[in-house]
Amino acid sequence: MIRQFELVEKVRSYDPGADEGLLNRAYVFAMKAHGSQTRASGDPYFSHPLEVAGILTDLKLDSASIATALLHDIVEDTEASVSDIEMLFGADIARLVDGVTKLTRLELQSEQTKHAENFRKLLLAMSEDIRVLLVKLADRLHNMQTLHFVKNPDKRRRIARETMDIYAPLAERIGMQRFKDELQDLAFAELNSDARESILARLDFLREQGGDLLERVREQLALDLEEGGVEAQVSGRVKSPYSIWRKMEQRNLSFEQLADTVAFRVVVPTVGDCYQALGVLHSRYPTVPGRFKDYISTPKPNGYRSLHTGLIGPEQQRIEIQIRTREMHEIAEFGVAAHWKYKQGAQMVDGRQYRWVRELLDILDHASNPEEFLEHTKLEMFQDQVFCFTPKGDLIALPSGATPLDFAYAVHSEVGDTCVGAKVNGRMVPLRTRLANGDQVQIVTSKAQTPSPDWEKFAVTGKARARIRRFVRAREREQYIELGRNMLEKAFRQERQDLTEKALKGGLKKLKADSVQDLHFSVGTGNLSAMDVVHAVYPGTKERSGWRKVVSIGRAKAKRDKSQDHAIPIKGLIPGMALHYAHCCHPLPGDRIVGIVTTGKGVTVHTIDCDTLQTFAETPERWVDLAWDVDGSSVPFLGRLHVVVANEPGSLGNLSTVIGKNDGNISNLKITNRSIDFFEMLIDVEVKDLKHLTDIMAALRAMSVITSVERART
Ligand code: MN
């Protein structure tokens, strides 16, 4: 176990300006907080955060990262809280520790790794500061190094699987080759120890047979390069058992067929030297076709740069060679962490903490291919996404701004179509709520539900929007057809003509319609008047009194009773599609109503005494008789009240209490006028029908503070 002063010395060796006091305080605090806790190995628990800190000093990270490593398990495993840490170590350290803790909790939540790709993105998205991720990876690395101490084999396996599926690729994603290799090999040892053992045994055998092959080849290559005038450091290594095994799997080769188990690395001073070294080696040894890759001119997405080639080497054996500069080498090994080190000097010393994004942008100034680097290395590429869980722990990735409705459609179209509500982290929320990273979303469905036209206003995913739109269009068409059919039936009845399918078909051509359905649709949308259809089908029909009469009676209610049997029932017509309730008079079941057809929009329902109707006096063809038929409807209607209330303490509260007691739900309230003595206001109340509203009005009138209550007519 590394000791306190050793840790501090190590940090100071690469960062003379390191905050020694911070490191010492973090060390002591973590040691005390973990107290007598122990690890599966029997070691004191504190050895773990200390080792994690040690791993990060190898990456030459700043003192804040090292302190975070020391404190990383405090919140999850001890009594201390994030605010304790903030008090003792400041907001920055607290933020970093909190970040690591969140990732740890996320880790505990994910039993399944089948959505590994998404889970990695989630980790990236949640690691707003790259140092959080680096601490987390070092944490995982040490846990893997000590995995064999864990007694439960299922647990070992799960952790190894997770490491293989999530953390190793994540390390690769941010360019930390060395972390990746070690994580993979440790996981491989747990997941497939037989395969690993046999590969190791085979490698031993080859080594015995070939003598010091690796060293002989290395020396020869170094000599070749020296003769070729290139200053180079050459190193050789046997590939890791896991990478050998993967190649065997991928190319379906046996171990004997797998020739290149050794790899060599040539490190040179400049980019020009890289190509020169390549030229030297290619002129001396036959190349293996298809193995040359120039990752210098085209770096890998994670920023990796090197030349790769395959040769038949000095011992007539296939070998792999990587050629790179020192800087490329450090970036290849440590990825983002290496960038960190390179720019550490200036900003870190004066203690200013930058968010990692700005860090990366900084580095771009020095990167040779900024576009590539920015494009691929910035983790923020995932910030435009939001990652949420299903109750079972499956991950769903959505664009940021997505709502529970988008989530529902992402789960399944059926779930979306029948969605009536959502619980986010256990609490009911409106469907239009914006989801946040890590939210657990549970969708409540009902077979009776269908997509609502409103949904289109807040769904953001293409899938949800397309599905809602398609449904609404289809439903709208049905509605117009239904309305048109009713209007035609009424018109024919009124004109005492027979309405038969055959008769209608006879008129199709004249009316330029393709089918009877089309005809219904045109009448329903108001593009064709019902009387025109009557005339087309029965030329010479004299218009009877009905249409004109509607207009002539205007507001004379009594006369309308007769025509009630001609009225079109509005049952089954969905508000917002073919049917709209007028905003001027807010008709309620129980009100006498009339419809006004607007071309392309269907019918707007007004109360028969609504002033707006005067506007349509000159266009009788637009009037439609309507009748309520809403028994058993669960959808509330909106009544609008004009109320004058005394301006005194508590009067508004009493008013809403009375409405509430009478089962009315206030959906909107607008004060239109306010004087010293009175409030004048408009109140929208959700009610069942007219009677419900009049009951509420009666209850309000009984209140002493109420001066007047009327239905609003605007
Ligand atoms: Mn830990």
Side-chain angles (χ1 to χ4, degrees):
M1 196 159 99
I2 181 172
R3 277 178 292 182
Q4 185 171 358
F5 76 90
E6 287 170 332
L7 182 76
V8 174
E9 272 315 300
K10 205 168 167 203
V11 177
R12 280 176 57 89
S13 72
Y14 61 81
D15 180 10
D19 186 344
E20 243 179 278
L22 170 68
L23 293 173
N24 283 321
R25 277 181 292 130
Y27 186 103
V28 173
F29 182 76
M31 187 171 63
K32 282 188 179 157
H34 286 295
S36 58
Q37 293 172 346
T38 54
R39 301 262 296 167
S41 60
D43 286 337
Y45 192 93
F46 179 60
S47 66
H48 164 66
L50 195 51
E51 289 296 337
V52 174
I55 290 170
L56 293 179
T57 59
D58 290 341
L59 300 183
K60 304 190 161 101
L61 288 192
D62 65 319
S63 17
S65 306
I66 306 299
T68 302
L70 290 170
L71 300 167
H72 83 268
D73 276 332
I74 293 274
V75 177
E76 195 61 17
D77 292 342
T78 80
E79 296 292 310
S81 67
V82 174
S83 43
D84 293 337
I85 290 178
E86 178 163 3
M87 219 159 62
L88 291 163
F89 301 98
D92 264 334
I93 304 285
R95 179 178 55 80
L96 291 170
V97 172
D98 190 38
V100 180
T101 305
K102 277 186 183 141
L103 294 190
T104 303
R105 286 181 183 156
L106 211 57
E107 196 169 53
L108 298 172
Q109 194 174 11
S110 83
E111 279 299 318
Q112 295 163 289
T113 50
K114 66 178 179 186
H115 297 290
E117 173 62 21
N118 276 339
F119 196 81
R120 286 198 296 274
K121 287 182 185 171
L122 174 62
L123 289 176
L124 284 175
M126 288 189 68
S127 312
E128 286 192 350
D129 190 309
I130 189 70
R131 290 173 294 181
V132 168
L133 196 58
L134 293 175
V135 173
K136 190 67 217 166
L137 284 172
D139 174 43
R140 176 54 63 128
L141 183 56
H142 184 246
N143 285 336
M144 285 304 291
Q145 286 166 347
T146 52
L147 185 68
H148 55 281
F149 290 116
V150 173
K151 298 223 169 47
N152 180 343
D154 288 342
K155 189 177 177 192
R156 282 203 309 270
R157 230 186 142 65
R158 180 178 64 72
I159 294 172
R161 185 82 261 162
E162 201 176 74
T163 301
M164 192 63 105
D165 291 345
I166 292 169
Y167 291 93
L170 199 55
E172 182 175 33
R173 182 70 188 70
I174 58 173
M176 304 185 66
Q177 194 67 29
R178 197 176 281 187
F179 266 45
K180 185 205 86 174
D181 286 344
E182 194 174 349
L183 286 170
Q184 276 180 342
D185 210 46
L186 289 163
F188 185 45
E190 176 60 40
L191 295 172
N192 201 342
S193 59
D194 291 350
R196 185 166 178 273
E197 289 304 321
S198 65
I199 288 169
L200 286 173
R202 182 68 192 166
L203 288 172
D204 279 345
F205 173 75
L206 286 179
R207 196 172 304 136
E208 277 166 30
Q209 274 208 321
D212 213 351
L213 178 90
L214 201 68
E215 182 54 23
R216 289 203 306 277
V217 173
R218 193 197 69 76
E219 276 173 14
Q220 184 57 51
L221 291 176
L223 200 66
D224 292 334
L225 288 166
E226 199 184 316
E227 283 172 5
V230 187
E231 183 194 333
Q233 281 179 312
V234 183
S235 59
R237 67 192 164 95
V238 177
K239 288 183 183 169
S240 79
Y242 179 70
S243 69
I244 291 173
W245 184 74
R246 255 236 320 234
K247 269 196 184 137
M248 285 165 62
E249 268 201 330
Q250 280 171 356
R251 300 191 200 149
N252 204 14
L253 297 172
S254 70
F255 194 83
E256 277 65 29
Q257 291 170 289
L258 193 75
D260 44 352
T261 55
V262 288
F264 294 88
R265 187 167 293 145
V266 175
V267 176
V268 296
T270 69
V271 173
D273 293 334
C274 291
Y275 291 97
Q276 200 187 334
L278 182 78
V280 170
L281 296 175
H282 276 191
S283 67
R284 298 195 179 205
Y285 302 101
T287 57
V288 178
R291 301 307 294 273
F292 173 67
K293 301 245 165 54
D294 183 352
Y295 292 119
I296 291 181
S297 62
T298 315
K300 281 193 186 179
N302 61 16
Y304 174 89
R305 297 162 74 212
S306 275
L307 298 176
H308 287 191
T309 190
L311 305 173
I312 307 297
E315 303 265 333
Q316 312 309 315
Q317 209 192 17
R318 276 176 64 155
I319 53 173
E320 220 169 73
I321 298 183
Q322 302 166 337
I323 305 169
R324 50 175 77 151
T325 65
R326 167 70 41 198
E327 187 184 345
M328 289 175 200
H329 178 59
E330 297 217 355
I331 289 170
E333 296 279 290
F334 303 118
V336 178
H339 289 296
W340 186 270
K341 187 194 120 190
Y342 273 112
K343 55 134 329 286
Q344 186 150 269
Q347 288 97 332
M348 294 311 295
V349 171
D350 65 8
R352 284 162 64 197
Q353 304 292 340
Y354 286 83
R355 277 188 41 152
W356 66 270
V357 178
R358 255 165 286 160
E359 294 286 345
L360 288 179
L361 288 175
D362 241 20
I363 301 157
L364 286 175
D365 295 340
H366 313 291
S368 61
N369 192 343
E371 286 82 8
E372 276 285 323
F373 192 75
L374 180 65
E375 172 83 12
H376 299 294
T377 313
K378 66 171 180 176
L379 307 186
E380 208 180 31
M381 65 192 292
F382 298 121
Q383 306 283 332
D384 57 358
Q385 281 184 287
V386 56
F387 301 88
C388 304
F389 291 102
T390 67
K392 283 184 190 154
D394 289 347
L395 253 164
I396 306 268
L398 296 164
S400 78
T403 63
L405 194 61
D406 295 296
F407 185 93
Y409 274 102
V411 170
H412 198 281
S413 306
E414 289 278 302
V415 177
D417 284 348
T418 56
C419 170
V420 286
K423 280 185 181 174
V424 170
N425 304 324
R427 283 177 49 198
M428 280 305 283
V429 300
L431 283 179
R432 57 174 69 240
T433 309
R434 281 174 71 120
L435 295 172
N437 266 322
D439 276 350
Q440 196 195 60
V441 185
Q442 184 185 350
I443 299 297
V444 185
T445 60
S446 157
K447 285 221 165 69
Q449 178 71 318
T450 55
S452 142
D454 273 355
W455 290 2
E456 236 188 298
K457 291 178 197 144
F458 56 87
V460 303
T461 49
K463 185 181 178 189
R465 294 177 62 86
R467 178 90 185 180
I468 296 164
R469 199 173 306 139
R470 210 174 62 200
F471 184 90
V472 169
R473 292 273 153 77
R475 175 59 75 86
E476 225 164 29
R477 187 175 160 83
E478 278 169 30
Q479 294 266 296
Y480 283 129
I481 288 170
E482 173 70 16
L483 179 66
R485 181 186 303 122
N486 289 338
M487 287 164 74
L488 277 186
E489 272 169 14
K490 184 197 140 190
F492 276 77
R493 202 159 50 227
Q494 213 161 251
E495 301 306 321
R496 314 252 163 87
Q497 299 286 8
D498 281 343
L499 175 61
T500 60
E501 185 93 359
K502 200 179 156 206
L504 276 185
K505 275 184 178 154
L508 286 181
K509 208 173 169 193
K510 207 187 280 181
L511 292 160
K512 296 194 184 80
D514 289 335
S515 65
V516 172
Q517 259 200 356
D518 266 3
L519 208 59
H520 288 152
F521 182 73
S522 297
V523 173
T525 54
N527 286 311
L528 187 64
S529 89
M531 275 316 292
D532 287 345
V533 178
V534 176
H535 287 137
V537 175
Y538 296 111
T541 306
K542 279 255 168 34
E543 206 167 310
R544 301 178 75 89
S545 50
W547 295 97
R548 295 292 173 208
K549 207 168 104 191
V550 171
V551 184
S552 63
I553 57 175
R555 302 174 65 165
K557 302 174 208 172
K559 288 189 185 171
R560 295 193 55 77
D561 279 358
K562 262 195 306 191
S563 59
Q564 203 64 12
D565 59 328
H566 295 310
I568 297 166
I570 66 171
K571 183 172 193 165
L573 294 181
I574 297 169
M577 289 187 177
L579 188 77
H580 310 272
Y581 292 117
H583 293 303
C584 38
C585 50
H586 296 278
L588 298 173
D591 277 326
R592 308 289 297 281
I593 49 174
V594 68
I596 296 294
V597 177
T598 303
T599 310
K601 273 193 64 185
V603 166
T604 306
V605 184
H606 294 267
T607 60
I608 194 68
D609 54 356
C610 178
D611 289 339
T612 312
L613 291 175
Q614 303 287 12
T615 325
F616 304 102
E618 300 308 315
T619 47
E621 66 281 1
R622 296 182 62 182
W623 292 59
V624 191
D625 265 335
L626 296 174
W628 293 103
D629 185 5
V630 290
D631 280 350
S633 166
S634 58
V635 189
F637 289 85
L638 209 62
R640 176 170 288 186
L641 298 178
H642 176 260
V643 182
V644 182
V645 195
N647 186 357
E648 57 180 65
S651 61
L652 283 184
N654 291 338
L655 178 142
S656 54
T657 305
V658 167
I659 293 177
K661 271 189 181 157
N662 284 278
D663 288 331
N665 185 29
I666 297 180
S667 74
N668 200 1
L669 190 150
K670 187 176 157 196
I671 294 179
T672 53
N673 213 341
R674 186 178 184 168
S675 68
I676 298 171
D677 301 323
F678 297 102
F679 285 120
E680 244 179 277
M681 64 184 78
L682 291 173
I683 305 176
D684 290 345
V685 192
E686 286 177 0
V687 291
K688 289 194 284 287
D689 52 22
L690 180 61
K691 181 171 181 307
H692 189 186
L693 188 71
T694 45
D695 287 349
I696 290 174
M697 289 165 69
L700 289 175
R701 285 192 183 112
M703 293 174 68
S704 60
V705 291
I706 301 273
T707 307
S708 80
V709 182
E710 300 296 336
R711 282 184 78 182
R713 307 274 175 210
T714 49

Tab-separated table of all heavy atoms in Angstrom, residues 14 276 297 379 398 429 469 554 592 615 710:
chain	number	residue	atom	x	y	z
A	14	TYR	N	5.473	15.241	-10.951
A	14	TYR	CA	5.080	15.695	-12.290
A	14	TYR	C	4.316	17.007	-12.266
A	14	TYR	O	4.080	17.630	-13.281
A	14	TYR	CB	4.287	14.618	-13.036
A	14	TYR	CG	2.978	14.190	-12.377
A	14	TYR	CD1	1.819	14.953	-12.521
A	14	TYR	CD2	2.904	13.017	-11.649
A	14	TYR	CE1	0.626	14.548	-11.928
A	14	TYR	CE2	1.721	12.612	-11.054
A	14	TYR	CZ	0.587	13.383	-11.195
A	14	TYR	OH	-0.575	12.986	-10.616
A	276	GLN	N	9.817	7.641	-42.714
A	276	GLN	CA	11.153	7.192	-43.108
A	276	GLN	C	11.415	5.786	-42.552
A	276	GLN	O	11.913	4.914	-43.262
A	276	GLN	CB	12.208	8.164	-42.585
A	276	GLN	CG	13.531	8.026	-43.346
A	276	GLN	CD	14.629	8.874	-42.713
A	276	GLN	OE1	14.337	9.884	-42.061
A	276	GLN	NE2	15.877	8.448	-42.912
A	297	SER	N	-2.235	10.014	-41.154
A	297	SER	CA	-2.996	10.938	-41.997
A	297	SER	C	-4.498	10.825	-41.725
A	297	SER	O	-5.233	11.781	-41.887
A	297	SER	CB	-2.702	10.679	-43.477
A	297	SER	OG	-3.095	9.375	-43.836
A	379	LEU	N	-16.720	14.313	-25.866
A	379	LEU	CA	-17.753	13.443	-25.329
A	379	LEU	C	-19.106	14.109	-25.447
A	379	LEU	O	-20.137	13.482	-25.358
A	379	LEU	CB	-17.455	13.148	-23.856
A	379	LEU	CG	-16.061	12.620	-23.582
A	379	LEU	CD1	-15.935	12.224	-22.133
A	379	LEU	CD2	-15.746	11.438	-24.468
A	398	LEU	N	-32.859	8.710	-26.270
A	398	LEU	CA	-33.768	9.613	-26.967
A	398	LEU	C	-33.052	10.933	-27.227
A	398	LEU	O	-32.080	11.248	-26.550
A	398	LEU	CB	-34.999	9.877	-26.088
A	398	LEU	CG	-35.887	8.676	-25.765
A	398	LEU	CD1	-36.801	8.993	-24.605
A	398	LEU	CD2	-36.681	8.266	-26.987
A	429	VAL	N	-46.144	12.312	-13.784
A	429	VAL	CA	-45.805	13.610	-14.377
A	429	VAL	C	-46.652	13.798	-15.639
A	429	VAL	O	-47.134	12.826	-16.209
A	429	VAL	CB	-44.306	13.690	-14.773
A	429	VAL	CG1	-43.425	13.504	-13.559
A	429	VAL	CG2	-43.984	12.671	-15.857
A	469	ARG	N	-49.225	11.401	-36.166
A	469	ARG	CA	-49.788	12.104	-37.313
A	469	ARG	C	-50.606	11.140	-38.179
A	469	ARG	O	-51.711	11.446	-38.590
A	469	ARG	CB	-48.659	12.724	-38.143
A	469	ARG	CG	-49.144	13.830	-39.066
A	469	ARG	CD	-47.975	14.518	-39.732
A	469	ARG	NE	-47.009	14.984	-38.747
A	469	ARG	CZ	-45.699	14.894	-38.913
A	469	ARG	NH1	-45.191	14.334	-39.991
A	469	ARG	NH2	-44.888	15.336	-37.979
A	554	GLY	N	-83.050	32.297	-36.631
A	554	GLY	CA	-81.966	32.928	-35.881
A	554	GLY	C	-81.946	32.486	-34.435
A	554	GLY	O	-81.683	31.327	-34.142
A	592	ARG	N	-78.729	24.113	-26.148
A	592	ARG	CA	-79.196	23.943	-27.525
A	592	ARG	C	-78.047	24.375	-28.421
A	592	ARG	O	-77.454	25.432	-28.204
A	592	ARG	CB	-80.424	24.817	-27.760
A	592	ARG	CG	-81.511	24.603	-26.704
A	592	ARG	CD	-82.146	23.251	-26.886
A	592	ARG	NE	-82.803	23.224	-28.177
A	592	ARG	CZ	-84.000	23.782	-28.405
A	592	ARG	NH1	-84.655	24.351	-27.424
A	592	ARG	NH2	-84.538	23.752	-29.609
A	615	THR	N	-72.954	36.393	-37.612
A	615	THR	CA	-71.966	36.495	-38.673
A	615	THR	C	-72.298	35.579	-39.856
A	615	THR	O	-71.915	35.823	-40.982
A	615	THR	CB	-70.577	36.080	-38.132
A	615	THR	OG1	-70.481	36.517	-36.789
A	615	THR	CG2	-69.461	36.655	-38.964
A	710	GLU	N	-72.300	34.781	-14.277
A	710	GLU	CA	-73.007	34.520	-15.533
A	710	GLU	C	-72.137	33.622	-16.396
A	710	GLU	O	-70.927	33.566	-16.214
A	710	GLU	CB	-73.244	35.835	-16.302
A	710	GLU	CG	-74.056	36.879	-15.576
A	710	GLU	CD	-75.481	36.433	-15.317
A	710	GLU	OE1	-75.982	35.549	-16.055
A	710	GLU	OE2	-76.084	36.952	-14.345
